[in-house]
């Protein structure tokens, strides 16, 4: 968690230094931000995790050895070997004698960064494997399990069973925690199986979420949609131009070409697109792939809906792009009577003219004429 906070702080700073095209406009400030990130991450790892790396890795490997065989165990063991290699390199870099000076320390921290990100990236996997040594509560069996399962199925049909967390256990079962609501009271059930299939069962019952989580079979590491993607990799594409920025461009536009340019940006679908519609389409399609990868009936249904929405958005994007071309070809300009308001002077309020009145000549000095502003 601390590593994620450190990384987010740096990325937020870098975002403020990028222009629309993703180019860093202040390289020295970017270098300083990355150096601070590397320094803080190295300090946090050295203080809190470095002394325990070998113990954690050994405990995780023992957990895998004690699990029922599964096809993904080799992948987990390879990740643990990767973390072991990273820990070895971290020890080597930290024990190397470096000349005094800020530059040498920065270089050392920069060299640590790839190995620190490996540990940060796979910390959840390590925690889940270590947690396998926790002993769960005894599961319901026989008549007790049958009675609770029948009760939960009936509540599910009435819409009174509300799942709120799920994971897979070491036996490959889908474990779900759910509220069972009856007569304005609720209890927490531990369920095993896909709730969209008829063969799921109740494993246990608890008074609250914490007790249910502690008594349930511990979670194994969850899968990922893209095995080769890291949350800590450097951004390689230009950042998205926000809708607020495009709306502002239209608000201050005077020519139709300016508005067309905003629409072209919004609908851009080239490989390095920065428009929000292209990013939104990519988000929806990726979410559909994730839903399908859940391998549940509800997940497959969600994937179908998401892909349908992405198709509709594609059609909308094409229509918007065509309209932008028409607007650009119009070569229009706003009429001059749509003049901007002054920023400093208040606009005089028109008054109803009154009939002139006859007044006796005054001997007083004439009043100064009102100042007329352009």
């Amino acid at each position: 968690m601390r590593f994620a906070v450190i990384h987010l702080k740096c990325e937020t700073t870098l975002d403020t230094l990028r222009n629309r095209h993703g180019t860093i406009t202040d390289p020295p400030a970017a270098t300083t931000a990355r150096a601070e990130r590397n320094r803080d991450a190295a300090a946090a790892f050295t203080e809190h995790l470095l002394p325990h790396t070998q113990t954690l890795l050994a405990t995780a490997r023992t957990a895998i050895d004690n699990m029922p065989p599964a096809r993904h165990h080799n992948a987990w063991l390879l990740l643990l070997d990767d973390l072991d290699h990273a820990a070895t390199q971290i020890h080597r870099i930290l024990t190397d004698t470096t000349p005094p000076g800020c530059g040498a320390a920065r270089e050392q921290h920069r060299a640590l960064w790839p190995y620190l990100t490996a540990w940060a990236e796979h910390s959840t996997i390590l925690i889940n494997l270590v947690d396998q040594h926790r002993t769960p509560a005894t599961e319901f069996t026989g008549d007790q399990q049958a009675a609770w399962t029948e009760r939960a199925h009936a509540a599910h049909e009435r819409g009174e069973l509300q799942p709120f967390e799920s994971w897979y256990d070491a036996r490959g079962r889908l474990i779900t925690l759910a509220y069972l609501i009856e007569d304005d009271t609720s209890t927490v059930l531990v369920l095993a199986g896909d709730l969209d299939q008829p063969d799921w069962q109740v494993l246990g019952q608890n008074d609250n979420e914490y007790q249910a989580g502690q008594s349930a079979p511990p979670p194994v590491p969850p899968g990922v949609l893209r095995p080769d993607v890291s949350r800590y990799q450097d951004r390689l594409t230009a950042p998205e131009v926000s809708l607020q920025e495009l709306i502002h461009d239209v608000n201050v536009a005077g020519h139709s070409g300016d508005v067309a340019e905003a629409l072209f940006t919004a609908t851009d679908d080239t490989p390095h697109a920065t428009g929000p519609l292209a990013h939104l389409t990519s988000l929806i399609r990726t979410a559909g792939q994730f839903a399908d990868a859940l391998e549940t009936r509800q997940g497959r249904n969600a994937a179908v809906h998401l892909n349908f929405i992405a198709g509709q958005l594609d059609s909308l994007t094409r229509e918007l792009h065509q309209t932008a071309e028409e607007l650009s070809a119009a070569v229009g300009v706003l009429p001059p009577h749509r003049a901007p308001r002054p920023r400093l002077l208040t606009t005089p309020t028109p008054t109803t003219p009154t009939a002139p009145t006859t007044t006796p000549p005054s001997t007083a000095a004439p009043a100064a004429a009102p100042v007329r502003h352009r």
Side-chain angles (χ1 to χ4, degrees), residues 61-148:
R61 289 192 176 99
T62 302
I64 296 176
D65 292 340
N66 294 334
M67 291 180 184
R71 61 182 180 179
H72 43 264
H73 286 180
N74 286 337
W76 289 346
L77 289 170
L78 184 60
L79 286 173
L80 295 181
D81 290 342
D82 193 47
L83 292 179
D84 198 355
H85 171 73
T88 300
Q89 295 302 313
I90 292 171
H91 277 284
R92 178 188 62 78
I93 293 171
L94 290 176
T95 53
D96 280 349
T97 303
T98 57
C102 182
R106 283 193 175 190
E107 179 59 28
Q108 185 184 63
H109 296 154
R110 187 198 61 78
L112 286 171
W113 175 252
Y115 305 111
L116 298 178
T117 57
W119 273 84
E121 187 71 36
H122 303 308
S123 59
T124 300
I125 294 176
L126 195 63
I127 292 171
N128 288 152
L129 291 175
V130 171
D131 196 43
Q132 295 300 309
H133 293 278
R134 173 173 58 83
T135 303
T138 302
E139 299 177 3
F140 288 166
T141 57
D143 293 342
Q144 185 184 31
Q145 185 179 65
W148 273 103

Side-chain angles (χ1 to χ4, degrees), residues 107-283:
E107 179 59 28
Q108 185 184 63
H109 296 154
R110 187 198 61 78
L112 286 171
W113 175 252
Y115 305 111
L116 298 178
T117 57
W119 273 84
E121 187 71 36
H122 303 308
S123 59
T124 300
I125 294 176
L126 195 63
I127 292 171
N128 288 152
L129 291 175
V130 171
D131 196 43
Q132 295 300 309
H133 293 278
R134 173 173 58 83
T135 303
T138 302
E139 299 177 3
F140 288 166
T141 57
D143 293 342
Q144 185 184 31
Q145 185 179 65
W148 273 103
T149 300
E150 181 180 0
R151 184 174 168 184
H153 273 262
H156 188 42
E157 293 178 359
R158 298 192 306 269
E160 296 179 343
L161 188 70
Q162 299 179 0
F164 63 89
E165 189 175 359
S166 63
W167 61 81
Y168 283 93
D169 72 352
R171 293 168 54 184
R173 299 178 299 178
L174 180 60
I175 305 298
T176 301
L177 303 184
Y179 298 110
L180 174 64
I181 303 174
E182 296 175 319
D183 301 327
D184 295 330
T185 61
S186 67
T187 187
V188 182
L189 299 182
V190 180
L191 314 173
D194 184 355
L195 299 187
D196 290 319
Q197 303 296 335
D199 56 349
W200 56 271
Q201 297 177 313
V202 177
L203 301 184
Q205 176 269 330
N206 298 92
D207 293 333
N208 56 61
E209 300 89 337
Y210 177 78
Q211 291 178 357
Q214 292 299 305
S215 65
V220 297
V224 293
L225 185 62
R226 300 282 188 266
D228 55 345
V229 174
S230 168
R231 72 180 65 232
Y232 300 112
Q233 66 189 13
D234 292 335
R235 179 181 294 165
L236 301 179
T237 58
E240 176 186 333
V241 178
S242 69
L243 280 174
Q244 290 88 342
E245 192 171 353
L246 294 176
I247 293 170
H248 175 74
D249 289 347
V250 174
N251 282 332
V252 300
H255 296 76
S256 60
D258 300 329
V259 180
E261 185 62 30
L263 293 178
F264 284 140
T265 300
T267 58
D268 182 18
D269 61 353
T270 58
H272 299 287
T274 60
L277 286 181
H279 287 279
L280 181 57
T281 301
S282 178
L283 168 64

Side-chain angles (χ1 to χ4, degrees), residues 263-264 266-269 277-278 281 285 307-326:
L263 293 178
F264 284 140
T267 58
D268 182 18
D269 61 353
L277 286 181
T281 301
R285 292 198 183 279
N307 289 331
F308 175 73
I309 293 170
Q312 289 183 312
L313 188 57
D314 280 338
S315 298
L316 175 62
T317 301
R318 287 192 295 270
E319 291 183 22
L320 277 174
H321 190 86
Q322 182 179 354
T323 305
E325 290 178 340
E326 296 171 357

